[in-house]
Amino acid sequence: MNLLLFTEQDRSDDGLLHITGPRLQHLRQIHGKTVGEDVRVGRINGMIGSARIVSIDSHRALLDPVLDQPPPEKIPLTLVVALPRPKMLRRILRTVAELGVGELHLINTYRVEKSFWQTPVLKESNVHEYLLQGLEQSRDTVVPAVSCHRRFKPFVEDDLPGLLAGRRALLAHPGDYPPCPRGVAVPALLVIGPEGGFIPYEVDKLQHAGCEPVSLGPRILRVENAVTALLGRLY
Amino acid sequence: MNLLLFTEQDRSDDGLLHITGPRLQHLRQIHGKTVGEDVRVGRINGMIGSARIVSIDSHRALLDPVLDQPPPEKIPLTLVVALPRPKMLRRILRTVAELGVGELHLINTYRVEKSFWQTPVLKESNVHEYLLQGLEQSRDTVVPAVSCHRRFKPFVEDDLPGLLAGRRALLAHPGDYPPCPRGVAVPALLVIGPEGGFIPYEVDKLQHAGCEPVSLGPRILRVENAVTALLGRLY
C-alpha cells in the first residue's frame, strides 16, 4: 500500500480521518507508523497528499490530511477483455487500476466458460476492492469504470461503435498480423481475447466494427501479461 | 499448458513418450484428449512439434512425437531483479520464461528482506518447475538461466561489467529521469529494484557501472508488472 485511500465517511466533523480495520493494521504492522509521522493519503476519486498521525493505537488511527496534488493522469486507453477465469480476473482488475486504465469492458465470447460469469469476484463490492488495491499500489485515486457485457453480438454492434469513436481500435490476436504499434500517443481501444482466442466469426465481427488486428509475436501470453506488455508498448 | 514439455527420460526405446503424473492429468482433464489426436510437444531445450496419442488411460499416455520446428527466439535481454518476496518471485520466474527472457539475475540489495533468501521457491528444482510453467504457456522449450547474487557490491563490481558488455544497460528507477526507450532493437540489460526501490548508494554504484537510469512514469508498479510493461516497451 503506497497510498492510504479514504472516503468522506472516514472523516469526522473535526476534519480528521478515523482509520480502522485492515488499513489500520497495515499502518501499524507493515509501515510501523507512530504519532507525528506522515502518511501518503488520497481521497477516492479525489486529490492526494499527506496526513500527520495525531494518534494511533490498536483500535484506530486519527490522521490530519492535507490534500494538495491531483492524482496521476489516466492513460487514454479503453480496454476490452474477454472475461477470464476468476483468479486471473482478480489480477486483471488490480493491474488495470495500477497501470492507469480508465475504462474496462468485460465481454462474453464463444470461448468464455459460462461459469465464469457466476464468480463472486464480479460482485460490485469485490470489483471495487480489487480496483482499490491497484490504485493503492500506484498512488492513484480514480476508480476505473468496469462494465460487463454478457452477449457478444449486441456488444459489438450496439456498444462498440460508440466506444471506439475518436480512438484507434486494436485487436490483439495471434496470427500473421502486423506487430502492435508502439507509443501511439493517441486515445486507443484495445481488445484482448480469451484463453484459446477469439473464433473466426468474432474476429470478423470485430474487424468489421473497425478493429485493426495486431500481433504480439510468436509467444502466447497469459491474458494478464498480454494486457501489461501491450500497455507498456502502446504508451 | 499450450505445449507439453518432455525430456529424453520420458522416451522409451521404441521412441514413444511415456507421460504420467500431472501432465497426464492435464491431457485428460483439461484437454480431453483421446487416441489418435495430436498434442503440441517440445523437448526441453530442444525442438518443438506434435505428437499423436497412441494410447491413453488413467495410468499413462503413449505419444509418438515428430519434432520439426525450432522454439521461438529469445528476446536479447538480460534481466537483473532485486530478489522479491516469495509469492512475487514465483510469478516472476513464470513470467520471465513466458516472455522469452534468456537470463535472469536475482540480486541482494539493502531493501531486500534477508528472509527472502531462505524461501523454498529458490530451490533449484522449484525454480526449474516455475520456469517450465512459463515455457509451457508461451510454447518455448529453452529454460532461462537463473543466477543468485547474495552480495550487492561484488555483483556490481565483479559480475556486472561482463554482463553488460555489448549491451545497452538500463536502470528502471522512480525519479526525474528520461522515459524508458521503446523498441531498442539491440541487446540490453535491465535492472529493476526491490519494493521501496534502490537506496542512493546503490543507484550511484549502478550508474557508475554504466547503467542509464530511466523512468516508467509517475506510477509505482508492482515488480512483476514493471518487468512485463518494460519488456513490452523495449522489444
Side-chain angles (χ1 to χ4, degrees), chain B residues 33-92:
Chain B
K33 292 284 187 183
T34 58
V35 170
E37 291 190 279
D38 289 326
V39 181
R40 265 176 218 268
V41 296
R43 187 169 171 273
I44 291 178
N45 293 320
M47 301 276 281
I48 61 181
S50 72
R52 180 69 45 92
I53 299 181
V54 176
S55 75
I56 186 165
D57 60 27
S58 58
H59 298 297
R60 69 168 188 192
L62 290 182
L63 273 57
D64 186 12
V66 178
L67 303 179
D68 52 5
Q69 300 156 46
E73 279 185 31
K74 293 289 185 195
I75 58 173
L77 182 83
T78 297
L79 191 61
V80 177
V81 179
L83 184 70
R85 61 184 65 248
K87 193 175 162 188
M88 179 74 77
L89 175 60
R90 278 201 296 270
R91 290 220 294 267
I92 286 183

Short mmCIF file of all heavy atoms in Angstrom, two decimals, chain B residues 33-92:
data_model
loop_
_atom_site.label_atom_id
_atom_site.label_comp_id
_atom_site.label_asym_id
_atom_site.label_seq_id
_atom_site.Cartn_x
_atom_site.Cartn_y
_atom_site.Cartn_z
N LYS B 33 -8.12 -35.13 -24.30
CA LYS B 33 -7.53 -35.74 -25.49
C LYS B 33 -7.75 -37.26 -25.50
O LYS B 33 -7.71 -37.91 -24.45
CB LYS B 33 -6.03 -35.48 -25.53
CG LYS B 33 -5.66 -34.00 -25.75
CD LYS B 33 -5.85 -33.59 -27.20
CE LYS B 33 -5.32 -32.19 -27.43
NZ LYS B 33 -5.56 -31.73 -28.81
N THR B 34 -7.94 -37.82 -26.69
CA THR B 34 -8.13 -39.27 -26.82
C THR B 34 -7.21 -39.81 -27.92
O THR B 34 -6.55 -39.05 -28.63
CB THR B 34 -9.58 -39.63 -27.17
OG1 THR B 34 -9.91 -38.96 -28.38
CG2 THR B 34 -10.54 -39.20 -26.08
N VAL B 35 -7.20 -41.13 -28.04
CA VAL B 35 -6.33 -41.81 -29.01
C VAL B 35 -6.53 -41.26 -30.42
O VAL B 35 -7.66 -41.03 -30.85
CB VAL B 35 -6.61 -43.33 -28.98
CG1 VAL B 35 -5.89 -44.04 -30.12
CG2 VAL B 35 -6.15 -43.91 -27.64
N GLY B 36 -5.42 -41.03 -31.11
CA GLY B 36 -5.48 -40.55 -32.49
C GLY B 36 -5.37 -39.04 -32.60
O GLY B 36 -5.09 -38.52 -33.68
N GLU B 37 -5.59 -38.34 -31.50
CA GLU B 37 -5.48 -36.87 -31.55
C GLU B 37 -4.01 -36.43 -31.42
O GLU B 37 -3.16 -37.19 -30.95
CB GLU B 37 -6.31 -36.24 -30.44
CG GLU B 37 -7.81 -36.39 -30.67
CD GLU B 37 -8.62 -35.56 -29.69
OE1 GLU B 37 -8.81 -35.99 -28.54
OE2 GLU B 37 -9.06 -34.46 -30.08
N ASP B 38 -3.77 -35.20 -31.83
CA ASP B 38 -2.41 -34.65 -31.76
C ASP B 38 -2.28 -33.66 -30.61
O ASP B 38 -3.22 -32.96 -30.27
CB ASP B 38 -2.04 -33.94 -33.07
CG ASP B 38 -1.84 -34.93 -34.20
OD1 ASP B 38 -1.34 -36.04 -33.93
OD2 ASP B 38 -2.19 -34.61 -35.36
N VAL B 39 -1.08 -33.62 -30.07
CA VAL B 39 -0.76 -32.73 -28.95
C VAL B 39 0.51 -31.98 -29.34
O VAL B 39 1.41 -32.57 -29.93
CB VAL B 39 -0.45 -33.57 -27.69
CG1 VAL B 39 -0.13 -32.67 -26.52
CG2 VAL B 39 -1.58 -34.51 -27.37
N ARG B 40 0.57 -30.69 -29.02
CA ARG B 40 1.82 -29.96 -29.23
C ARG B 40 2.83 -30.36 -28.17
O ARG B 40 2.51 -30.31 -26.97
CB ARG B 40 1.58 -28.46 -29.09
CG ARG B 40 1.32 -27.76 -30.38
CD ARG B 40 0.99 -26.31 -30.06
NE ARG B 40 -0.04 -25.84 -30.95
CZ ARG B 40 0.21 -25.24 -32.10
NH1 ARG B 40 1.46 -25.01 -32.48
NH2 ARG B 40 -0.78 -24.84 -32.87
N VAL B 41 4.01 -30.73 -28.59
CA VAL B 41 5.03 -31.14 -27.63
C VAL B 41 6.35 -30.43 -27.93
O VAL B 41 6.57 -29.92 -29.03
CB VAL B 41 5.28 -32.68 -27.68
CG1 VAL B 41 4.04 -33.44 -27.26
CG2 VAL B 41 5.75 -33.10 -29.06
N GLY B 42 7.20 -30.38 -26.92
CA GLY B 42 8.53 -29.80 -27.09
C GLY B 42 9.52 -30.50 -26.18
O GLY B 42 9.19 -30.86 -25.05
N ARG B 43 10.70 -30.73 -26.71
CA ARG B 43 11.77 -31.34 -25.90
C ARG B 43 12.47 -30.22 -25.15
O ARG B 43 12.87 -29.22 -25.76
CB ARG B 43 12.74 -32.06 -26.84
CG ARG B 43 13.79 -32.86 -26.13
CD ARG B 43 14.51 -33.75 -27.16
NE ARG B 43 15.66 -34.36 -26.53
CZ ARG B 43 16.86 -33.80 -26.45
NH1 ARG B 43 17.09 -32.62 -26.99
NH2 ARG B 43 17.85 -34.43 -25.84
N ILE B 44 12.60 -30.35 -23.84
CA ILE B 44 13.20 -29.28 -23.04
C ILE B 44 14.57 -28.94 -23.60
O ILE B 44 15.40 -29.83 -23.84
CB ILE B 44 13.27 -29.69 -21.55
CG1 ILE B 44 11.84 -29.74 -20.98
CG2 ILE B 44 14.12 -28.72 -20.74
CD1 ILE B 44 11.75 -30.18 -19.54
N ASN B 45 14.79 -27.68 -23.87
CA ASN B 45 15.99 -27.15 -24.52
C ASN B 45 16.18 -27.67 -25.94
O ASN B 45 17.30 -27.64 -26.47
CB ASN B 45 17.25 -27.43 -23.68
CG ASN B 45 17.23 -26.64 -22.38
OD1 ASN B 45 16.82 -25.47 -22.37
ND2 ASN B 45 17.63 -27.26 -21.29
N GLY B 46 15.08 -28.14 -26.57
CA GLY B 46 15.19 -28.67 -27.93
C GLY B 46 14.08 -28.17 -28.83
O GLY B 46 13.51 -27.10 -28.64
N MET B 47 13.74 -29.00 -29.84
CA MET B 47 12.78 -28.63 -30.87
C MET B 47 11.34 -28.82 -30.38
O MET B 47 11.08 -29.53 -29.42
CB MET B 47 13.00 -29.51 -32.10
CG MET B 47 14.39 -29.43 -32.70
SD MET B 47 14.53 -28.03 -33.84
CE MET B 47 13.70 -28.71 -35.30
N ILE B 48 10.41 -28.19 -31.12
CA ILE B 48 9.00 -28.41 -30.84
C ILE B 48 8.33 -29.07 -32.04
O ILE B 48 8.91 -29.13 -33.14
CB ILE B 48 8.25 -27.10 -30.46
CG1 ILE B 48 8.30 -26.06 -31.57
CG2 ILE B 48 8.86 -26.50 -29.21
CD1 ILE B 48 7.60 -24.76 -31.19
N GLY B 49 7.14 -29.62 -31.82
CA GLY B 49 6.43 -30.31 -32.89
C GLY B 49 5.10 -30.83 -32.37
O GLY B 49 4.52 -30.23 -31.45
N SER B 50 4.63 -31.95 -32.95
CA SER B 50 3.39 -32.51 -32.43
C SER B 50 3.56 -34.00 -32.20
O SER B 50 4.49 -34.62 -32.71
CB SER B 50 2.22 -32.22 -33.38
OG SER B 50 2.35 -33.01 -34.52
N ALA B 51 2.66 -34.57 -31.42
CA ALA B 51 2.73 -35.99 -31.09
C ALA B 51 1.33 -36.58 -31.19
O ALA B 51 0.38 -36.00 -30.68
CB ALA B 51 3.30 -36.18 -29.69
N ARG B 52 1.23 -37.72 -31.84
CA ARG B 52 -0.02 -38.46 -31.95
C ARG B 52 -0.20 -39.32 -30.69
O ARG B 52 0.76 -39.95 -30.25
CB ARG B 52 0.07 -39.35 -33.21
CG ARG B 52 -1.13 -40.22 -33.53
CD ARG B 52 -2.35 -39.43 -33.96
NE ARG B 52 -2.12 -38.36 -34.93
CZ ARG B 52 -2.19 -38.49 -36.27
NH1 ARG B 52 -2.48 -39.66 -36.81
NH2 ARG B 52 -2.00 -37.46 -37.06
N ILE B 53 -1.41 -39.29 -30.13
CA ILE B 53 -1.67 -40.13 -28.95
C ILE B 53 -1.93 -41.56 -29.39
O ILE B 53 -2.89 -41.84 -30.10
CB ILE B 53 -2.87 -39.60 -28.14
CG1 ILE B 53 -2.55 -38.17 -27.65
CG2 ILE B 53 -3.18 -40.52 -26.96
CD1 ILE B 53 -3.64 -37.54 -26.83
N VAL B 54 -1.03 -42.48 -28.98
CA VAL B 54 -1.12 -43.89 -29.36
C VAL B 54 -2.04 -44.63 -28.39
O VAL B 54 -2.83 -45.48 -28.78
CB VAL B 54 0.29 -44.52 -29.36
CG1 VAL B 54 0.22 -46.01 -29.65
CG2 VAL B 54 1.18 -43.81 -30.38
N SER B 55 -1.92 -44.30 -27.11
CA SER B 55 -2.84 -44.86 -26.12
C SER B 55 -2.91 -43.91 -24.94
O SER B 55 -1.97 -43.14 -24.71
CB SER B 55 -2.39 -46.25 -25.67
OG SER B 55 -1.28 -46.13 -24.80
N ILE B 56 -4.02 -43.94 -24.22
CA ILE B 56 -4.16 -43.07 -23.04
C ILE B 56 -5.16 -43.69 -22.09
O ILE B 56 -6.23 -44.15 -22.50
CB ILE B 56 -4.57 -41.62 -23.46
CG1 ILE B 56 -4.57 -40.68 -22.24
CG2 ILE B 56 -5.90 -41.60 -24.18
CD1 ILE B 56 -4.61 -39.19 -22.64
N ASP B 57 -4.77 -43.82 -20.82
CA ASP B 57 -5.70 -44.26 -19.78
C ASP B 57 -5.32 -43.55 -18.50
O ASP B 57 -4.54 -42.59 -18.53
CB ASP B 57 -5.68 -45.80 -19.64
CG ASP B 57 -4.31 -46.32 -19.25
OD1 ASP B 57 -3.53 -45.57 -18.62
OD2 ASP B 57 -4.01 -47.48 -19.59
N SER B 58 -5.86 -44.01 -17.37
CA SER B 58 -5.64 -43.25 -16.13
C SER B 58 -4.20 -43.39 -15.62
O SER B 58 -3.79 -42.67 -14.72
CB SER B 58 -6.64 -43.70 -15.06
OG SER B 58 -6.47 -45.09 -14.84
N HIS B 59 -3.43 -44.35 -16.17
CA HIS B 59 -2.07 -44.56 -15.68
C HIS B 59 -1.02 -43.83 -16.51
O HIS B 59 -0.05 -43.31 -15.99
CB HIS B 59 -1.75 -46.05 -15.64
CG HIS B 59 -2.64 -46.79 -14.70
ND1 HIS B 59 -2.66 -46.54 -13.36
CD2 HIS B 59 -3.58 -47.74 -14.94
CE1 HIS B 59 -3.55 -47.33 -12.78
NE2 HIS B 59 -4.14 -48.05 -13.72
N ARG B 60 -1.21 -43.85 -17.82
CA ARG B 60 -0.20 -43.19 -18.66
C ARG B 60 -0.75 -42.97 -20.06
O ARG B 60 -1.73 -43.59 -20.49
CB ARG B 60 1.08 -44.02 -18.72
CG ARG B 60 0.92 -45.30 -19.48
CD ARG B 60 2.26 -45.96 -19.78
NE ARG B 60 2.03 -47.08 -20.69
CZ ARG B 60 2.93 -48.00 -20.96
NH1 ARG B 60 4.11 -47.95 -20.40
NH2 ARG B 60 2.63 -48.97 -21.80
N ALA B 61 -0.04 -42.07 -20.77
CA ALA B 61 -0.31 -41.87 -22.19
C ALA B 61 0.95 -42.22 -22.95
O ALA B 61 2.06 -41.96 -22.48
CB ALA B 61 -0.72 -40.43 -22.46
N LEU B 62 0.77 -42.82 -24.12
CA LEU B 62 1.90 -43.06 -25.03
C LEU B 62 1.74 -42.13 -26.22
O LEU B 62 0.68 -42.09 -26.86
CB LEU B 62 1.90 -44.51 -25.52
CG LEU B 62 2.24 -45.58 -24.49
CD1 LEU B 62 2.27 -46.96 -25.15
CD2 LEU B 62 3.61 -45.28 -23.87
N LEU B 63 2.80 -41.37 -26.51
CA LEU B 63 2.74 -40.36 -27.57
C LEU B 63 3.86 -40.59 -28.57
O LEU B 63 4.99 -40.90 -28.18
CB LEU B 63 2.93 -38.96 -26.96
CG LEU B 63 1.71 -38.21 -26.42
CD1 LEU B 63 0.98 -38.99 -25.37
CD2 LEU B 63 2.14 -36.86 -25.88
N ASP B 64 3.54 -40.39 -29.84
CA ASP B 64 4.54 -40.57 -30.91
C ASP B 64 4.90 -39.19 -31.47
O ASP B 64 4.16 -38.62 -32.26
CB ASP B 64 3.91 -41.46 -32.00
CG ASP B 64 4.92 -41.81 -33.06
OD1 ASP B 64 6.12 -41.57 -32.86
OD2 ASP B 64 4.48 -42.32 -34.12
N PRO B 65 6.05 -38.64 -31.07
CA PRO B 65 6.36 -37.25 -31.40
C PRO B 65 7.08 -37.07 -32.74
O PRO B 65 7.89 -37.90 -33.14
CB PRO B 65 7.30 -36.84 -30.27
CG PRO B 65 8.03 -38.09 -29.90
CD PRO B 65 7.08 -39.24 -30.19
N VAL B 66 6.78 -35.98 -33.40
CA VAL B 66 7.55 -35.52 -34.57
C VAL B 66 7.96 -34.08 -34.28
O VAL B 66 7.11 -33.19 -34.17
CB VAL B 66 6.70 -35.56 -35.87
CG1 VAL B 66 7.53 -35.03 -37.04
CG2 VAL B 66 6.21 -36.97 -36.13
N LEU B 67 9.25 -33.86 -34.12
CA LEU B 67 9.75 -32.52 -33.75
C LEU B 67 10.35 -31.88 -34.99
O LEU B 67 11.35 -32.36 -35.52
CB LEU B 67 10.81 -32.65 -32.65
CG LEU B 67 10.34 -33.38 -31.39
CD1 LEU B 67 11.48 -33.46 -30.37
CD2 LEU B 67 9.14 -32.69 -30.77
N ASP B 68 9.72 -30.82 -35.45
CA ASP B 68 10.18 -30.26 -36.73
C ASP B 68 10.34 -28.74 -36.73
O ASP B 68 10.61 -28.15 -37.76
CB ASP B 68 9.21 -30.67 -37.85
CG ASP B 68 7.77 -30.35 -37.50
OD1 ASP B 68 7.53 -29.72 -36.44
OD2 ASP B 68 6.87 -30.72 -38.27
N GLN B 69 10.14 -28.09 -35.56
CA GLN B 69 10.30 -26.63 -35.55
C GLN B 69 11.21 -26.20 -34.40
O GLN B 69 11.16 -26.78 -33.32
CB GLN B 69 8.95 -25.94 -35.33
CG GLN B 69 7.90 -26.23 -36.37
CD GLN B 69 6.51 -26.00 -35.77
OE1 GLN B 69 6.26 -25.00 -35.13
NE2 GLN B 69 5.65 -26.98 -35.96
N PRO B 70 11.97 -25.13 -34.64
CA PRO B 70 12.76 -24.59 -33.54
C PRO B 70 11.84 -23.84 -32.58
O PRO B 70 10.76 -23.38 -32.96
CB PRO B 70 13.72 -23.62 -34.23
CG PRO B 70 12.98 -23.17 -35.46
CD PRO B 70 12.12 -24.34 -35.88
N PRO B 71 12.25 -23.69 -31.32
CA PRO B 71 11.46 -22.85 -30.40
C PRO B 71 11.57 -21.39 -30.82
O PRO B 71 12.44 -21.03 -31.61
CB PRO B 71 12.14 -23.10 -29.05
CG PRO B 71 13.53 -23.50 -29.39
CD PRO B 71 13.46 -24.22 -30.70
N PRO B 72 10.65 -20.53 -30.33
CA PRO B 72 10.75 -19.10 -30.69
C PRO B 72 12.06 -18.50 -30.18
O PRO B 72 12.61 -18.97 -29.18
CB PRO B 72 9.55 -18.46 -29.99
CG PRO B 72 9.14 -19.43 -28.92
CD PRO B 72 9.54 -20.79 -29.41
N GLU B 73 12.54 -17.47 -30.86
CA GLU B 73 13.78 -16.83 -30.41
C GLU B 73 13.59 -16.14 -29.07
O GLU B 73 12.53 -15.59 -28.79
CB GLU B 73 14.21 -15.77 -31.44
CG GLU B 73 14.93 -16.37 -32.61
CD GLU B 73 15.46 -15.29 -33.54
OE1 GLU B 73 15.80 -14.19 -33.07
OE2 GLU B 73 15.52 -15.57 -34.75
N LYS B 74 14.64 -16.16 -28.26
CA LYS B 74 14.61 -15.39 -27.02
C LYS B 74 14.72 -13.90 -27.34
O LYS B 74 15.27 -13.52 -28.39
CB LYS B 74 15.79 -15.77 -26.12
CG LYS B 74 15.75 -17.20 -25.59
CD LYS B 74 14.67 -17.37 -24.55
CE LYS B 74 14.71 -18.77 -23.94
NZ LYS B 74 13.48 -19.11 -23.20
N ILE B 75 14.21 -13.04 -26.45
CA ILE B 75 14.48 -11.62 -26.63
C ILE B 75 15.87 -11.33 -26.05
O ILE B 75 16.28 -11.96 -25.08
CB ILE B 75 13.40 -10.72 -25.99
CG1 ILE B 75 13.26 -10.98 -24.51
CG2 ILE B 75 12.06 -10.91 -26.67
CD1 ILE B 75 12.33 -10.01 -23.83
N PRO B 76 16.61 -10.41 -26.68
CA PRO B 76 18.01 -10.24 -26.30
C PRO B 76 18.17 -9.40 -25.05
O PRO B 76 18.82 -8.36 -25.06
CB PRO B 76 18.61 -9.56 -27.53
CG PRO B 76 17.48 -8.78 -28.12
CD PRO B 76 16.23 -9.56 -27.83
N LEU B 77 17.56 -9.85 -23.97
CA LEU B 77 17.58 -9.07 -22.74
C LEU B 77 18.11 -9.89 -21.58
O LEU B 77 17.67 -11.02 -21.36
CB LEU B 77 16.16 -8.60 -22.38
CG LEU B 77 16.13 -7.73 -21.11
CD1 LEU B 77 16.48 -6.29 -21.46
CD2 LEU B 77 14.79 -7.79 -20.43
N THR B 78 19.04 -9.31 -20.83
CA THR B 78 19.46 -9.87 -19.56
C THR B 78 18.77 -9.07 -18.47
O THR B 78 18.85 -7.85 -18.45
CB THR B 78 20.99 -9.74 -19.40
OG1 THR B 78 21.61 -10.51 -20.43
CG2 THR B 78 21.44 -10.24 -18.04
N LEU B 79 18.05 -9.78 -17.60
CA LEU B 79 17.25 -9.11 -16.59
C LEU B 79 17.90 -9.27 -15.22
O LEU B 79 18.28 -10.37 -14.84
CB LEU B 79 15.85 -9.73 -16.59
CG LEU B 79 14.76 -9.03 -15.80
CD1 LEU B 79 14.51 -7.62 -16.31
CD2 LEU B 79 13.47 -9.85 -15.89
N VAL B 80 18.05 -8.15 -14.51
CA VAL B 80 18.62 -8.15 -13.16
C VAL B 80 17.54 -7.61 -12.23
O VAL B 80 17.09 -6.46 -12.39
CB VAL B 80 19.88 -7.27 -13.09
CG1 VAL B 80 20.43 -7.24 -11.65
CG2 VAL B 80 20.95 -7.76 -14.07
N VAL B 81 17.08 -8.42 -11.28
CA VAL B 81 15.97 -8.03 -10.40
C VAL B 81 16.37 -8.24 -8.95
O VAL B 81 16.91 -9.29 -8.60
CB VAL B 81 14.72 -8.88 -10.72
CG1 VAL B 81 13.56 -8.50 -9.81
CG2 VAL B 81 14.29 -8.71 -12.17
N ALA B 82 16.10 -7.24 -8.11
CA ALA B 82 16.29 -7.42 -6.68
C ALA B 82 15.35 -8.52 -6.21
O ALA B 82 14.17 -8.53 -6.56
CB ALA B 82 16.00 -6.12 -5.93
N LEU B 83 15.84 -9.45 -5.41
CA LEU B 83 15.03 -10.61 -5.01
C LEU B 83 13.72 -10.16 -4.38
O LEU B 83 13.72 -9.50 -3.34
CB LEU B 83 15.81 -11.48 -4.01
CG LEU B 83 15.07 -12.77 -3.62
CD1 LEU B 83 15.01 -13.74 -4.77
CD2 LEU B 83 15.72 -13.41 -2.40
N PRO B 84 12.59 -10.51 -4.98
CA PRO B 84 11.30 -10.10 -4.41
C PRO B 84 10.80 -11.13 -3.39
O PRO B 84 11.39 -12.20 -3.24
CB PRO B 84 10.38 -10.07 -5.63
CG PRO B 84 10.94 -11.07 -6.56
CD PRO B 84 12.42 -11.19 -6.27
N ARG B 85 9.69 -10.80 -2.73
CA ARG B 85 9.09 -11.74 -1.78
C ARG B 85 8.68 -13.01 -2.53
O ARG B 85 8.43 -12.97 -3.74
CB ARG B 85 7.92 -11.10 -1.05
CG ARG B 85 6.76 -10.63 -1.89
CD ARG B 85 5.70 -9.93 -1.06
NE ARG B 85 6.18 -8.69 -0.47
CZ ARG B 85 6.39 -8.49 0.85
NH1 ARG B 85 6.09 -9.44 1.72
NH2 ARG B 85 6.83 -7.35 1.28
N PRO B 86 8.62 -14.16 -1.82
CA PRO B 86 8.45 -15.45 -2.49
C PRO B 86 7.26 -15.53 -3.46
O PRO B 86 7.40 -16.06 -4.56
CB PRO B 86 8.28 -16.43 -1.32
CG PRO B 86 9.06 -15.80 -0.20
CD PRO B 86 8.87 -14.32 -0.37
N LYS B 87 6.13 -15.00 -3.04
CA LYS B 87 4.94 -15.09 -3.90
C LYS B 87 5.18 -14.39 -5.24
O LYS B 87 4.81 -14.88 -6.30
CB LYS B 87 3.77 -14.43 -3.16
CG LYS B 87 2.42 -14.69 -3.74
CD LYS B 87 1.33 -14.08 -2.84
CE LYS B 87 0.03 -13.95 -3.60
NZ LYS B 87 -0.98 -13.20 -2.83
N MET B 88 5.80 -13.23 -5.16
CA MET B 88 6.13 -12.47 -6.36
C MET B 88 7.22 -13.17 -7.17
O MET B 88 7.20 -13.17 -8.40
CB MET B 88 6.60 -11.08 -5.91
CG MET B 88 7.01 -10.16 -7.01
SD MET B 88 5.58 -9.53 -7.90
CE MET B 88 4.98 -8.30 -6.74
N LEU B 89 8.17 -13.78 -6.45
CA LEU B 89 9.27 -14.49 -7.13
C LEU B 89 8.73 -15.59 -8.03
O LEU B 89 9.16 -15.74 -9.17
CB LEU B 89 10.24 -15.06 -6.08
CG LEU B 89 11.37 -15.93 -6.61
CD1 LEU B 89 12.26 -15.17 -7.58
CD2 LEU B 89 12.21 -16.47 -5.44
N ARG B 90 7.77 -16.37 -7.50
CA ARG B 90 7.17 -17.44 -8.31
C ARG B 90 6.61 -16.87 -9.61
O ARG B 90 6.82 -17.41 -10.69
CB ARG B 90 6.01 -18.08 -7.55
CG ARG B 90 6.41 -19.12 -6.55
CD ARG B 90 5.22 -20.03 -6.24
NE ARG B 90 4.12 -19.32 -5.60
CZ ARG B 90 3.99 -19.17 -4.28
NH1 ARG B 90 4.87 -19.69 -3.47
NH2 ARG B 90 2.95 -18.53 -3.79
N ARG B 91 5.88 -15.77 -9.47
CA ARG B 91 5.25 -15.19 -10.66
C ARG B 91 6.31 -14.65 -11.63
O ARG B 91 6.16 -14.75 -12.85
CB ARG B 91 4.27 -14.09 -10.26
CG ARG B 91 3.03 -14.69 -9.55
CD ARG B 91 1.76 -13.98 -9.99
NE ARG B 91 1.75 -12.61 -9.56
CZ ARG B 91 1.20 -12.18 -8.43
NH1 ARG B 91 0.61 -13.03 -7.62
NH2 ARG B 91 1.22 -10.92 -8.11
N ILE B 92 7.36 -14.06 -11.07
CA ILE B 92 8.40 -13.50 -11.94
C ILE B 92 9.13 -14.61 -12.69
O ILE B 92 9.45 -14.45 -13.87
CB ILE B 92 9.35 -12.62 -11.12
CG1 ILE B 92 8.61 -11.31 -10.79
CG2 ILE B 92 10.66 -12.34 -11.85
CD1 ILE B 92 9.41 -10.30 -10.06
#
